[in-house]
Amino acid sequence: MNLPQTAEYALRALAVIVTRGDTVSAETIAGEASVPQPYLQKVLRRLVAAGILDARKGPGGGFSLAKPPKKIRLIDVLNATDTSLPDACAFGWGKCDAKHPCPLHGTWSELKDSIHGWASRTTLEDVRQYADARLTPLRRRAP
Amino acid sequence: MNLPQTAEYALRALAVIVTRGDTVSAETIAGEASVPQPYLQKVLRRLVAAGILDARKGPGGGFSLAKPPKKIRLIDVLNATDTSLPDACAFGWGKCDAKHPCPLHGTWSELKDSIHGWASRTTLEDVRQYADARLTPLRRRAP
DNA sequence: CTAAAAGTGGACATAGATGTCCAGTATTCG
DNA sequence: CGAATACTGGACATCTATGTCCACTTTTAG
């Protein structure tokens, strides 16, 4: 019941990029996010393919967000990394809903709903704000 | 971000056993829960080893709960199947807490807490009650 | 124009989760 | 007692996620 490594790495990379606010090279991201660089490259490619990141080659190149942080929901990131959230009936039924529930339906729905809610509601803007508020507290001191 | 098959199978098996309320053979469980029997046996063994189920050999034998449903939390079932819930820092930091948070700490904690809460709070008694209320509505009709 | 920086694409390797099988052991019942 | 019923334990097969490597292309800057 964990995020796949791939998805976690994607989130780490995006956290680095969004807190920096501009273009960051794969090498830098790998260092800051403690991700093996060869694999990270592969993950970043997927985020580019999904339209979440822009890539720029050549000296000074790297990766930057392709849209405003507020427009990038965690669920978009998870989709881009082939990470499926709990969806199917936990009891293995093809049709399973409130009208024709399997024995696990109630219990399982609670979990599903809360995970889906989290992934749909949270955006990179939330990550940015958190990091901004908690990681650089000096900036916010009263004069 | 799904439960491992093994854990899901364990939950299915327990749902069958708790709704029946007495000893059920592996063959019956496999049929009702749509789980391949050879693998199910392996899963059931783990639940026995963890003290969640009792096993009885011989004709009329099978598996039954080793304790009252209320005493069996989902998290116990997950532990018995080696299913770890999200725990470590999503950013890869060794130390990461509210005082020294990584950039993902806030976002990640929301998810972790809700999954942990669900698994710790929910017991097989909840599953039993749900099944009892929703799956056999006839029993509950007014006279 | 050319050399260095940096991303791209795909082949290949590995480990752990999933799943099958079979020979053994215990228990019940006639 | 002995035969049928179930559970037990472990060996073995397979597939997917993870991870590495390398040759290639594009872009910048002098």
Side-chain angles (χ1 to χ4, degrees):
Chain A
M1 183 92 241
N2 267 298
L3 284 181
Q5 277 296 341
T6 304
E8 190 180 301
Y9 289 166
L11 292 179
R12 289 190 197 180
L14 290 169
V16 168
I17 295 170
V18 78
T19 55
R20 292 211 168 207
D22 68 345
T23 299
V24 193
S25 74
E27 189 181 1
T28 302
I29 298 172
E32 297 214 352
S34 320
V35 177
Q37 188 178 343
Y39 194 63
L40 178 64
Q41 302 251 19
K42 213 171 182 177
V43 176
L44 292 171
R45 269 185 256 158
R46 282 161 166 261
L47 297 177
V48 171
I52 291 173
L53 289 179
D54 279 339
R56 277 186 36 220
K57 295 183 176 178
F63 299 86
S64 56
L65 297 186
K67 350 181 218 191
K70 197 170 175 184
K71 291 279 184 62
I72 305 176
R73 299 169 302 166
L74 298 192
I75 198 172
D76 301 321
V77 179
L78 299 181
N79 282 334
T81 52
D82 287 337
T83 302
S84 63
L85 296 185
D87 180 31
C89 166
F91 204 70
W93 287 7
K95 278 288 175 195
C96 171
D97 53 37
K99 294 221 163 166
H100 307 282
C102 78
L104 290 170
H105 188 76
T107 295
W108 188 235
S109 294
E110 275 187 47
L111 181 67
K112 276 199 312 193
D113 292 350
S114 88
I115 294 178
H116 273 270
W118 173 81
S120 312
R121 182 192 337 120
T122 312
T123 69
L124 289 189
E125 175 62 14
D126 298 311
V127 173
R128 196 193 62 71
Q129 279 181 17
Y130 178 86
D132 202 41
R134 309 277 343 230
L135 300 178
T136 57
L138 297 180
R139 226 190 264 165
R140 306 173 62 248
R141 269 193 310 209
Chain B
M1 184 89 238
N2 268 299
L3 284 181
Q5 276 296 342
T6 304
E8 190 181 301
Y9 288 167
L11 291 179
R12 290 191 197 179
L14 290 169
V16 169
I17 295 170
V18 78
T19 55
R20 291 212 167 206
D22 68 346
T23 300
V24 194
S25 74
E27 190 181 0
T28 301
I29 299 172
E32 297 214 354
S34 322
V35 177
Q37 188 179 343
Y39 195 63
L40 177 65
Q41 302 251 19
K42 215 171 182 177
V43 177
L44 292 172
R45 270 185 253 158
R46 281 160 166 262
L47 297 178
V48 171
I52 291 174
L53 289 179
D54 281 337
R56 277 184 36 220
K57 294 183 177 179
F63 298 86
S64 56
L65 297 186
K67 348 180 219 192
K70 198 169 174 185
K71 290 282 184 60
I72 304 176
R73 300 168 302 166
L74 298 191
I75 198 173
D76 301 321
V77 179
L78 299 180
N79 282 335
T81 53
D82 288 336
T83 301
S84 62
L85 297 185
D87 180 29
C89 166
F91 204 71
W93 287 6
K95 277 290 177 194
C96 171
D97 53 38
K99 294 222 161 166
H100 307 283
C102 78
L104 290 170
H105 188 76
T107 294
W108 186 236
S109 294
E110 275 187 47
L111 181 66
K112 275 198 312 192
D113 291 350
S114 89
I115 294 177
H116 272 271
W118 173 81
S120 311
R121 180 192 338 120
T122 312
T123 69
L124 289 189
E125 175 62 14
D126 298 312
V127 173
R128 195 191 64 68
Q129 281 181 17
Y130 178 85
D132 201 41
R134 308 278 343 231
L135 300 179
T136 57
L138 296 182
R139 224 191 264 166
R140 306 172 61 248
R141 270 197 307 217

